[in-house]
């Protein structure tokens, strides 16, 4: 799983609290899928991404899961995959967010 933590300061003491665990859809989970390989979050647009090496139809082709938040929780919005999945391509090995744009 991937997790979102929020920093808090209470009486000058910094602590981190678990806000939510992010999971792919249940039918695509498998041991060794490396969900959470890379993550990114944009607090302005309330978008979080989580990449996975993915042992699916094409071995280690990769995918990126996009989660959005309209309130206090993040919900899976979409799974992104390469246009032409290739074995060992690891699509999503690096992910970056800027505003409403995702670079994979």
């Amino acid at each position: 799983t991937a997790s979102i933590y929020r920093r808090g300061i209470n009486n000058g003491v910094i602590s981190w609290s678990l806000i939510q665990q992010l999971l792919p859809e249940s039918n695509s989970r498998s041991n060794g899928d490396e969900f959470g390989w890379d993550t990114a979050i944009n607090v302005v647009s309330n978008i979080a991404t989580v990449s996975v090496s993915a042992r699916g139809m094409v071995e280690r082709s990769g995918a990126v899961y996009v989660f959005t938040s309209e309130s206090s929780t993040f919900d899976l919005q979409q799974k992104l995959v390469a246009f032409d999945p290739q074995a060992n391509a690891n699509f999503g090995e690096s992910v970056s967010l800027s505003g409403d744009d995702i670079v994979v």
Side-chain angles (χ1 to χ4, degrees), residues 5 11-12 15 20 27 54 59 61 68-69 72 80-81 83 95:
Y5 289 84
N11 294 326
S15 63
Q20 182 179 347
N27 63 348
E59 181 74 15
S61 57
T68 58
S69 175
S72 61
L80 305 176
V81 296
F83 176 73
V95 180

Side-chain angles (χ1 to χ4, degrees), residues 28-90:
S28 68
R29 295 181 204 163
S30 65
N31 287 334
D33 63 9
E34 297 174 346
F35 183 78
W37 179 271
D38 191 31
T39 59
I41 190 167
N42 184 312
V43 294
V44 174
S45 58
N46 290 322
I47 298 173
T49 61
V50 179
S51 63
V52 60
S53 183
R55 293 183 180 182
M57 296 294 288
V58 179
E59 181 74 15
R60 299 207 175 279
S61 57
V64 173
Y65 290 85
V66 179
F67 295 84
T68 58
S69 175
E70 296 296 328
S71 59
S72 61
T73 61
F74 283 84
D75 299 306
L76 179 60
Q77 181 187 45
Q78 187 172 351
K79 177 182 177 181
L80 305 176
V81 296
F83 176 73
D84 59 343
Q86 302 291 316
N88 300 310
N90 292 319

Side-chain angles (χ1 to χ4, degrees), residues 7-15:
R7 184 181 70 161
I9 301 175
N10 188 4
N11 294 326
V13 177
I14 298 172
S15 63

Side-chain angles (χ1 to χ4, degrees), residues 85-100:
Q86 302 291 316
N88 300 310
N90 292 319
F91 178 83
E93 186 173 47
S94 180
V95 180
S96 181
L97 287 171
S98 178
D100 290 331

